[in-house]
Amino acid sequence: MSTTTTITTVNPRRRTAGTSHITRLLPRPLLIAMNVLLCLLVAGPVSYMLFASVNSDVAVAKGEYWPSELRLDNYLKVWSTIDLGTGLINSLLICGAVAIVCAAVAVSMAWVLVRFTFVGRVTILRGLLGLQSVPGTLMLLPVFVMFSTLSATLRIPTIGTHWSVFITYLTFALPFSTWVMVTYIRGLPRELEEAARMDGASNFRVLTRIVLPLSWPGIVVSAIFAFLQGWNDVLFASVMTNRESRTAAVALQIFGATQETGTVPLYGQMMAASLICAVPVVVLYLVFQRYLVGGLTAGGVK
């Protein structure tokens, strides 16, 4: 007696097509059209800045989009017109330090808030969330008065120093970075930490050997957002800095304010300086792009 076995094969293309049909929210033509529209909305201002940076000031003032003449010297003149080199160095030092400190402190604070139970834990979590709703303009005068009083009491310079701007940025960036890490660490499996404790690992060893390697995407996201918060700030930096500690954003703001005269502004140099200041942020995103995708999903470990 013979038994016939029938093997049914499933076409992978048919399975893939059915799955994509189920998961796709929009029809393919509409999805392509929306992606093209979004790309045009983003590329429009950037391309205008790029073309205006290599165009003459008179042509930009007339409203020309495409350069009528190529002026690459705008990228050379801007270094002597604006104190851009000092501003970029100050911004990189201050914002880089804020990003590193925020990432290191936020991951440890978030791990304690998520994994341990103690009095005031919920209050701290609510406070971290509530601090994000306070406008920065309301904090400008208290921060300035606090540093001025500290300078008069301790007889040390505070206003105009790098460390005063660093502490100011850290005050506003650390709560947000901690909340990002709280959201991310909640998605990490507890079983790995429990297994490490059963093997005799201490809390510090669990944090450094288990939590940190799994939390790199969230750490990168919190560090980049802390970096951007200081890099894009003009309000606090314009009050807390002087000529030596001035950041790149303040240098651009001062340069733009000096162009508000009856003559034709230096549009080419303004656009060139703006693109130069955007380069570090673009490079930062390109380098850590793969970590950003996992960190923004808040729990990439399954």
Side-chain angles (χ1 to χ4, degrees):
M1 182 176 182
S2 61
T3 305
T4 304
T5 304
T6 303
I7 300 177
T8 304
T9 59
V10 180
N11 191 350
R13 294 183 178 179
R14 183 179 300 175
R15 180 186 298 176
T16 304
T19 305
S20 62
H21 177 72
I22 294 174
T23 57
R24 186 181 297 129
L25 298 179
L26 298 175
R28 187 176 181 83
L30 183 59
L31 186 63
I32 295 176
M34 291 190 63
N35 288 332
V36 171
L37 179 61
L38 291 175
C39 291
L40 290 177
L41 290 176
V42 174
V46 177
S47 62
Y48 178 79
M49 291 175 59
L50 179 61
F51 293 147
S53 65
V54 295
N55 201 357
S56 64
D57 300 329
V58 178
V60 177
K62 291 180 180 179
E64 294 184 3
Y65 177 77
W66 190 261
S68 57
E69 57 177 311
L70 199 60
R71 298 289 300 272
L72 297 177
D73 58 337
N74 289 328
Y75 286 91
L76 299 177
K77 293 180 180 179
V78 69
W79 298 100
S80 57
T81 306
I82 316 173
D83 193 9
L84 193 59
T86 304
L88 287 173
I89 294 175
N90 291 332
S91 295
L92 289 173
L93 289 176
I94 296 173
C95 299
V98 171
I100 294 173
V101 173
C102 276
V105 176
V107 64
S108 57
M109 288 181 59
W111 182 65
V112 172
L113 291 172
V114 171
R115 294 295 192 243
F116 296 90
T117 303
F118 52 90
V119 178
R121 170 179 171 271
V122 179
T123 304
I124 295 176
L125 290 173
R126 292 175 179 174
L128 292 175
L129 189 61
L131 287 175
Q132 307 304 316
S133 61
V134 180
T137 53
L138 298 180
M139 303 299 296
L140 179 62
L141 184 59
V143 169
F144 180 79
V145 172
M146 181 185 67
F147 277 102
S148 299
T149 305
L150 184 65
S151 177
T153 303
L154 302 179
R155 300 184 182 276
I156 57 174
T158 55
I159 306 298
T161 59
H162 293 84
W163 67 268
S164 63
V165 186
F166 166 77
I167 294 177
T168 302
Y169 289 166
L170 189 64
T171 304
F172 297 100
L174 187 57
F176 180 78
S177 298
T178 305
W179 186 257
V180 170
M181 291 308 305
V182 165
T183 307
Y184 188 86
I185 292 179
R186 280 175 176 172
L188 298 181
R190 292 176 176 265
E191 291 78 8
L192 296 176
E193 302 177 25
E194 294 174 356
R197 287 195 175 90
M198 291 179 63
D199 293 336
S202 61
N203 289 331
F204 180 77
R205 192 170 182 84
V206 170
L207 176 63
T208 55
R209 297 293 184 177
I210 305 297
V211 178
L212 283 180
L214 296 177
S215 303
W216 272 116
I219 294 172
V220 171
V221 170
S222 62
I224 288 179
F225 274 99
F227 183 89
L228 291 179
Q229 188 170 3
W231 189 270
N232 298 326
D233 174 70
V234 179
L235 182 64
F236 289 92
S238 60
V239 176
M240 302 296 295
T241 60
N242 54 19
R243 188 177 181 86
E244 289 74 21
S245 59
R246 186 178 297 163
T247 60
V250 177
L252 287 178
Q253 189 268 339
I254 294 176
F255 178 63
T258 56
Q259 301 301 311
E260 298 177 358
T261 60
T263 59
V264 178
L266 301 177
Y267 288 117
Q269 296 186 33
M270 291 174 61
M271 298 301 176
S274 300
L275 289 175
I276 291 173
C277 292
V279 168
V281 179
V282 174
V283 173
L284 195 66
Y285 271 101
L286 292 177
V287 172
F288 297 102
Q289 182 180 6
R290 65 189 186 96
Y291 292 105
L292 287 170
V293 174
L296 290 174
T297 55
V301 179
K302 300 296 183 183

